[in-house]
Structures are given as C-alpha cells and as structure tokens.
Amino acid sequence: MTLLGLQGNISPLAAHVLSQAFDHNSVASPVAIIMTNFRDLIVFFPPTPGDSQPSFEIVSTTQFSLALQVVSAACMHRTLPLGSWIQSPDSDIGYKSNLRVLEGPPQDPNRPLLTDDEVLATHQRHSDFDMVTLVRDPSRALQFFRWHDQIQHRYSKVVIRPNDVLDAVTNTLSFMHPPLRPIYPFDARELPADTITHLKETQRQSPLKTAGLMESFMHSKSFTVKILDVVAEGSTFGICTVYRCQITSIDGHSVSMSPSLCLKLFDDRFQGFQYRMEEEVDELIAGNLHWWFDQVLMAETLVTNETLAYDKLLSFMLPDGITLYGILMEYIDGWALDSNAVVTMSPKRQIKMIQSCHHSVRVLDVGDINQCDWHSKQILLYTNPTTNLDHAILIDFALTTQTYEEENRNYLANYKGIFDILFDAERSRSKLLPELVLEHFGPPHDWDPINASIPLPWNEDRYRDMFPFISFL
C-alpha cells in the first residue's frame, strides 16, 4: 500500500483511512494515529485550531518491528505528564473526587457521617479512618481533627502509669503486612576493620538470655508486663512514649526474675498538629485538603520501620481497653548528651564516645539504613559495667528508610546527622567538647554524599570543593 504520493503528499487511500479514523474518534480525538505498510511508518497528529489538516512524520526502515516499538512508546510517552512515566493513582490528589486509587474506592458520599460521639467510641488510631475519603471530603476531614482535639483534651499522652499491668500479643503486625525484604541486606564484611573490632569489644548479651527467658519469649504468643516508671513522654509532635517495665508472665506462665526492659508505645492519637480549626475552614473547602494530611503519621508505619532494627513487634492492651502497637527492647541505663554526667567525663572518655558514634554511622550505612530525623535523644552514652568500656548506643529507628526499589535511591545522611548533633552544642545541647568532636569524629568515607558550601559575599556565591574525595551532587 502506498502511503505517500510522488509529491510527498498523503495518498488518496491513506487520506481515506485517516479520515475514517478521525471521524470514528470524534468524541475523544486520538493523540496520534500510526499507519504503516510494513516498510514506512507514518505518525499522524490530529488537526489543530490553527491548521485544519493533520500533520505527520514519516520513518522508513528495514527494521520495522523495532521502529514500531520505538514510535509506539514515544507516542505513549507524549501523552503522559511531564517527568512521569506512569501516572499512578495517589490519594494526595484529593481534588479529583472520581480518581481510582490503590487504597480502594472512596466511600459513598451519600453515606451519612457518624456522630462525633460514635467516632470517639469506635476509632482508636489514624488507620481506623479512611484517608482516601478524608482528603476529598471537608466535613469528614474536620471531624478527624475534632476527634484529635477531643482525644487530647480528655486523655493524657502518658496512657499508663507505674504498677499498671498490660496484656501483650506478639508479632501482631506481621499478620497484617507482608514481610519486609530490603534489597541490600547487612554484610559485616563491608565494615572497616576498626569498626569490627569496636563491635566485638562492646557487644552485650541480651538481658533475656541472661535471665533464661530468651527461648520462651521469642516463641511466645502472648505475655504480660508490669510498668515500673515513665522514661520519656515524647515530643509535642511525636506519637511515642517510653516506659521501663518487667515481664510478669509468658503464655500464661508466671515469670519471677525478669530484668528491667524498655517498652516503646506508638499512639498516633496524640500526634500534634499546627492548625486553627475555625480560622482555616475556608482553606479546607478551597481544595487544599490533601495538604493537611501530608503530616499525618501512621503508628503502623513507624512501628514497622523499627522492626528492621528490633526482633519483637507487639500489641499491648491498655487498662482502659485501648490497643496500641509497641516494641519491647533492652533497657539502657545510659546518659543523654545534655546530661551533667558528660561534663565530668575526662577528655579521653569523651573521645571514646565520639569515636563510637562514628563506628555507629558505619554500621547504619553498611546496613543501608538512613535515619531521617536525627536529634540528640537518639544517642545514649554508656559505660559497660562488666568491661568498663565507654561507647555510644543509638536508639529510635521509627523514621528510618531502606532501599525497597532499586530505582529509588536511599539517601544516606547519617554521617552529617550525627556530626551536627555532636558538634553543634547550641542546637543539640550536647555537653561533649566541640573541639574533640572536630578532631576525633573522623572524616567521611568516600561514599558519603555530602554537599558543602562556604558563604561568600552575595555576588560571589559559589560551591567550593572542601574535600577532594567527596562527590558533589
């Protein structure tokens, strides 16, 4: 079949077929029409307001199959939004009320709202709400924030007190989520020799193993804990509280000699939000609803992140019947960076603590674990009572990331995160001597992605290569 005439114009047969195609698609005009005689490939584009005739591009090739694949892919790519290969559903696009989303269909808009009292009685955490619906319906969104206000006015964030006994079920979340399989597993052979030596010197035995409880606990289905005291009430905008406790029974069998353990509970009912309900209703209705939920944390997400660092994931029943997710960990009787005990440490001991933090950075980086919210409370300084060795212990891995898809790089910024905390005493309130940090923390390894700049007069700002072994991104 001839597609073009001698003058390079469209042949009568091709013109007839083309007109039929455009007429057939008059309701939804095609982006492009590909026509071929298995030798020539012509891509026709529909008429525009400024040109009543369709435009076209022609490709002649001896590799027809390959050319057809390339041209077809190019035509498909042309229809996608700029910078996107696949326009995947996203609940953040809240203004598109008819969007099909992976989380499931939106709730029926004709379904009446529950009363605030019904929501308060039946909703225990963020995941009890349909987030897909919340970003589309201002009335439901406002009810979500009213629920938050009522919870935080009625209850204390410290939901349990000393001598309270909690019933726990082990590995609850594993029944709800598939097991996580990071692409890059931890390989100790990648660690520098001095870091391996440090790990061997500071390795501690599990307190449960020392007490003879490890085997029964690791294979348990349930247990109970008694609260001894409150360790940390958490930040204003965080969702976690931390307690010291002891195990009192495992699978119904009484435990009399339990070590002190650390219990971390995840309760997103008490996440802090910066909003003014009555003053910002108009903004909600204006169509920016999805922006309000960008900051909403999910207890399940944070506790799942911590499972990558700790062995047991649990759910705990509070005395008032509320069920929370939590993690049971070793209790570390150490010092925070702003403790007065740090001031009394000799420079030699402080140097050991600083170097230990550097080794911890290496372990995280080799494990492909990036801490996204470094702060001073995540570093404990500890002296092993048996070996008398000084070293640091890192805690709180709820907001960490790993590589789950090869095309999405996990940006490792642990070196700079810990260095800033140790060195910038004004911000972190660390009482380690800054000059010791600068001298003994150690340089970044050549794979540490760090951008460094030196402020210059406003008309001469430019990046300088402070470290020749660092690649600037």
Side-chain angles (χ1 to χ4, degrees):
M1 181 180 73
T2 302
L3 298 180
L4 296 178
L6 295 177
Q7 304 299 321
N9 58 320
I10 303 173
S11 69
L13 180 58
H16 174 72
V17 173
L18 191 63
S19 65
Q20 294 293 314
F22 280 124
D23 289 344
H24 179 73
N25 290 278
S26 59
V27 176
S29 180
V31 174
I33 294 176
I34 300 175
M35 191 178 298
T36 182
N37 58 4
F38 299 102
R39 182 182 67 252
D40 301 319
L41 261 172
I42 302 183
V43 182
F44 293 97
F45 302 100
T48 63
D51 189 355
S52 60
Q53 295 298 318
S55 59
F56 65 89
E57 295 182 19
I58 186 170
V59 176
S60 297
T61 177
T62 58
Q63 295 180 294
F64 170 76
S65 178
L66 178 61
L68 181 60
Q69 293 179 52
V70 172
V71 171
S72 300
C75 291
M76 293 178 61
H77 180 257
R78 188 170 183 263
T79 67
L80 296 175
L82 182 64
S84 299
W85 291 96
I86 299 178
Q87 189 175 16
S88 59
D90 189 344
S91 62
D92 286 345
I93 311 177
Y95 50 85
K96 295 184 178 180
S97 58
N98 61 344
L99 179 69
R100 293 178 180 269
V101 293
L102 297 174
E103 291 89 344
Q107 290 182 355
D108 184 350
N110 296 320
R111 179 181 176 183
L113 282 174
L114 296 175
T115 66
D116 284 4
D117 287 340
E118 289 174 322
V119 171
L120 188 65
T122 57
H123 291 56
Q124 297 185 3
R125 57 186 64 87
H126 288 169
S127 60
D128 289 336
F129 291 86
D130 177 11
M131 291 295 165
V132 175
T133 301
L134 290 183
V135 299
R136 291 168 170 77
D137 188 339
S139 61
R140 297 182 193 275
L142 287 171
Q143 187 176 62
F144 171 84
F145 289 113
R146 288 198 302 271
W147 171 81
H148 254 285
D149 282 343
Q150 293 178 45
I151 288 289
Q152 296 181 14
H153 280 93
R154 291 192 184 194
Y155 304 104
S156 167
K157 185 175 182 179
V158 180
V159 291
I160 49 180
R161 299 292 176 182
N163 296 318
D164 282 345
V165 176
L166 309 185
D167 295 320
V169 178
T170 61
N171 293 322
T172 308
L173 208 62
S174 63
F175 297 116
M176 302 164 54
H177 296 273
L180 298 174
R181 293 184 176 87
I183 292 177
Y184 304 114
F186 180 80
D187 186 351
R189 294 172 297 180
E190 298 180 20
L191 291 171
D194 58 338
T195 297
I196 294 176
T197 300
H198 175 76
L199 293 178
K200 290 179 178 178
E201 291 176 347
T202 58
Q203 188 174 12
R204 305 179 308 280
Q205 188 177 65
S206 166
L208 290 179
K209 188 172 183 178
T210 304
L213 300 174
M214 178 65 81
E215 191 69 20
S216 59
F217 179 75
M218 294 302 292
H219 293 89
S220 66
K221 295 181 178 179
S222 64
F223 60 95
T224 58
V225 296
K226 180 179 179 180
I227 302 301
L228 300 179
D229 51 47
V230 180
V231 175
E233 297 185 12
S235 64
T236 303
F237 296 99
I239 70 172
C240 298
T241 51
V242 183
Y243 308 85
R244 190 167 63 94
C245 67
Q246 288 180 320
I247 297 176
T248 56
S249 71
I250 298 177
D251 286 337
H253 301 288
S254 178
V255 173
S256 58
M257 297 296 290
S258 169
S260 291
L261 299 171
C262 182
L263 171 62
K264 183 176 183 179
L265 293 180
F266 296 75
D267 192 351
D268 52 26
R269 297 177 301 166
F270 293 96
Q271 181 183 357
F273 293 103
Q274 293 178 324
Y275 64 87
R276 293 163 297 185
M277 183 65 65
E278 299 303 326
E279 299 177 23
E280 298 184 0
V281 171
D282 290 341
E283 182 181 344
L284 278 171
I285 298 175
N288 298 328
L289 197 53
H290 56 293
W291 294 346
W292 284 56
F293 289 89
D294 288 345
Q295 60 182 315
V296 173
L297 300 175
M298 289 288 186
E300 292 86 349
T301 300
L302 269 64
V303 77
T304 299
N305 286 343
E306 292 240 13
T307 64
L308 304 178
Y310 302 120
D311 289 330
K312 277 289 182 177
L313 175 62
L314 322 162
S315 64
F316 292 83
M317 177 73 74
L318 305 184
D320 62 1
I322 297 292
T323 300
L324 300 180
Y325 295 113
I327 291 180
L328 201 60
M329 304 172 285
E330 176 187 8
Y331 177 75
I332 303 295
D333 191 13
W335 306 286
L337 291 174
D338 60 357
S339 170
N340 289 328
V342 180
V343 179
T344 64
M345 290 182 182
S346 66
K348 183 178 180 180
R349 294 185 64 196
Q350 290 196 31
I351 291 171
K352 287 292 185 182
M353 298 295 190
I354 293 166
Q355 292 173 336
S356 179
C357 288
H358 180 85
H359 291 306
S360 299
V361 168
R362 295 293 141 243
V363 174
L364 290 179
D365 286 354
V366 169
D368 184 43
I369 298 173
N370 181 59
Q371 177 64 265
C372 299
D373 70 331
W374 280 113
H375 56 79
S376 60
K377 300 298 183 183
Q378 293 164 329
I379 302 174
L380 289 178
L381 306 181
Y382 179 71
T383 300
N384 190 304
T386 303
T387 63
N388 207 35
L389 288 175
D390 296 317
H391 62 98
I393 297 175
L394 304 185
I395 60 174
D396 185 8
F397 295 92
L399 290 175
T400 54
T401 57
Q402 293 196 38
T403 303
Y404 293 102
E405 298 176 350
E406 291 184 358
E407 60 270 22
N408 295 327
R409 186 183 66 173
N410 187 31
Y411 184 87
L412 297 173
N414 299 309
Y415 176 91
K416 186 176 186 300
I418 293 187
F419 179 82
D420 285 350
I421 291 171
L422 300 181
F423 182 71
D424 189 356
E426 183 177 351
R427 180 175 68 89
S428 67
R429 299 181 180 178
S430 170
K431 294 186 177 180
L432 293 170
L433 295 174
E435 59 269 25
L436 294 181
V437 176
L438 192 60
E439 183 177 356
H440 296 283
F441 187 68
H445 286 203
D446 56 4
W447 64 76
D448 284 318
I450 295 177
N451 290 335
S453 62
I454 298 177
L456 297 173
W458 67 271
N459 59 341
E460 298 180 14
D461 283 352
R462 66 181 185 272
Y463 280 97
R464 284 186 177 178
D465 192 355
M466 296 178 63
F467 307 102
F469 49 84
I470 296 178
S471 298
F472 289 84
L473 304 177

